[in-house]
Amino acid sequence: MARAAAVTSPTPRPAPDRSEAVLSRLQLLVTRKLDGLLQGDYAGLLPGPGSEAGESREYRPGDDVRRMDWPVTARTTTPHVRRTVADRELETWLALDLSASLDFGTGQWLKREVVVAAAAAITHLTVRGGNRIGAVIGTGGGVSVPARRWRGGAPPAGPGVLTRLPARSGRKEAQGLLRAVAGTTIQPGRGDLGALIEMLNRPPRRRGVAVVVSDFLAPAEQWARPMRKLRVRHDVLAIEVVDPRELELPDVGVLPVVDPESGELHEVQTADPRLRQRYADAATAQRATIAAALRGAGAAHLRLRTDRDWLLDMVRFVAAQRHARTRGTTR
């Protein structure tokens, strides 16, 4: 239902020099808007625990009793736990869904452009301080293809290709990764989001941050289990990319729509208010199912829309995450 997109002429791809200009502008925007919110031990959005002793806070049900701060507990007669400071190198992995359903947009951006923008934000924030960033990219379900040399160009792409870009540190390497992501060609055919996420589970990696960027339109039972498995070892952020036409239909009469992954074509009479209401109800139920599956997997959930300022939404999310981490801390 929500995969159907209005039939339009193919969107021209930006020239290589324009892509470089866009990526440079994204880096400037991210640096200006987000850097001030993330000054700390980790450059990632969801920092994990470290090994160095930090501040104490009151004990909350579920805290690890091995981190009890007994001196503070004795002085205050209230149980406290010792927070830890993460002073080690962070490794962040991106799982980027660039299946055919992402090659669509009726707002300011195409969904794939929002995916690239989100990847740019995460990448620029991660590589500070020598942290490592890697990515897996899905253009459809199928064969896994390692990309050992991705600096300066796009990884190999084709129908049913899952590409792995090894984790590396440094701004030049980060720029190469983003060029590879931006240069990935979206292929026709249905993607396998579950297989894409599973690439972050195998082989097992050091604990870090995993960021999954997708529209999550694949059935939840396909990707929910790999997402739960991923959360066991990593802090997980799910970035859901949404277009307004996936939430409601406009009243424009007969509208030809096509499933971008299967090529199936339908004509929809959007003048029927009952049909538009059924579509909106089904879309709301679908998004609720996605949110419930992500919540059940223990992943942080950020929704970005093609008709809104994605950077402002990300700033608000990062600020809320920071506030949630520091709330309840005793100084």
Side-chain angles (χ1 to χ4, degrees):
M1 178 271 305
R3 290 182 181 275
V7 177
T8 59
S9 58
T11 304
R13 298 291 174 219
D17 55 344
R18 183 185 171 192
S19 295
E20 290 293 328
V22 170
L23 291 176
S24 297
R25 183 169 178 269
L26 281 173
Q27 181 179 10
L28 181 62
L29 286 172
V30 170
T31 302
R32 284 181 173 178
K33 295 289 186 179
L34 290 178
D35 265 6
L37 293 175
L38 292 175
Q39 300 301 333
D41 308 299
Y42 268 157
L45 291 178
L46 298 169
S51 56
E52 296 297 318
E55 298 170 340
S56 294
R57 62 167 174 80
E58 290 188 7
Y59 173 85
R60 291 195 290 264
D63 287 337
D64 189 347
V65 296
R66 292 173 296 180
R67 295 196 291 116
M68 293 293 298
D69 192 334
W70 297 113
V72 176
T73 299
R75 289 197 303 268
T76 63
T77 69
T78 302
H80 278 68
V81 293
R82 174 70 68 177
R83 301 178 69 210
T84 53
V85 178
D87 62 344
R88 63 185 184 274
E89 177 188 84
L90 174 71
E91 185 168 285
T92 298
W93 279 88
L94 302 173
L96 304 176
D97 179 11
L98 289 177
S99 57
S101 65
L102 275 295
D103 202 15
F104 169 66
T106 62
Q108 297 174 285
W109 320 87
L110 292 175
K111 290 199 294 181
R112 69 162 288 147
E113 293 172 339
V114 177
V115 171
V116 174
I122 301 296
T123 298
H124 288 309
L125 293 173
T126 297
V127 296
R128 299 180 311 170
N131 294 319
R132 294 156 57 87
I133 182 80
V136 292
I137 307 170
T139 60
V143 183
S144 175
V145 177
R148 297 294 181 185
R149 302 174 61 86
W150 45 263
R151 183 188 298 179
V161 170
L162 298 175
T163 305
R164 189 191 311 273
L165 308 179
R168 294 171 177 168
S169 59
R171 293 191 179 276
K172 289 185 178 180
E173 299 290 351
Q175 286 295 323
L177 182 146
L178 291 176
R179 283 194 294 269
V181 171
T184 298
T185 302
I186 288 183
Q187 302 292 333
R190 296 201 180 279
D192 190 340
L193 181 58
L196 179 66
I197 297 174
E198 191 63 33
M199 288 184 70
L200 299 185
N201 289 320
R202 295 183 298 190
R205 295 179 175 81
R206 59 181 295 183
R207 294 183 183 275
V209 176
V211 182
V212 182
V213 189
S214 174
D215 54 13
F216 292 97
L217 292 182
E221 55 269 18
Q222 180 190 102
W223 50 264
R225 188 174 183 275
M227 185 74 80
R228 290 194 299 268
K229 182 178 176 182
L230 186 65
R231 180 63 182 86
V232 170
R233 190 169 181 83
H234 305 283
D235 289 319
V236 179
L237 169 62
I239 301 180
E240 178 189 6
V241 181
V242 180
D243 186 84
R245 293 288 75 81
E246 295 171 338
L247 305 177
E248 58 183 7
L249 288 173
D251 184 0
V252 292
V254 177
L255 178 69
V257 295
V258 63
D259 185 328
E261 293 193 351
S262 67
E264 189 174 357
L265 177 67
H266 296 279
E267 290 188 349
V268 179
Q269 177 52 269
T270 62
D272 184 351
R274 292 174 298 179
L275 183 143
R276 296 200 306 273
Q277 186 59 49
R278 290 198 303 271
Y279 183 94
D281 292 344
T284 299
Q286 181 186 45
R287 296 299 162 179
T289 300
I290 293 170
L294 294 175
R295 186 169 55 251
H301 183 196
L302 169 61
R303 180 175 293 171
L304 301 179
R305 292 175 53 123
T306 61
D307 61 341
R308 292 180 48 170
D309 186 340
W310 64 268
L311 188 54
L312 179 59
D313 288 340
M314 184 167 280
V315 167
R316 289 171 175 166
F317 175 82
V318 171
Q321 290 289 312
R322 185 179 180 89
H323 176 70
R325 291 197 302 268
T326 58
R327 185 173 51 207
T329 301
T330 59
R331 298 186 180 277

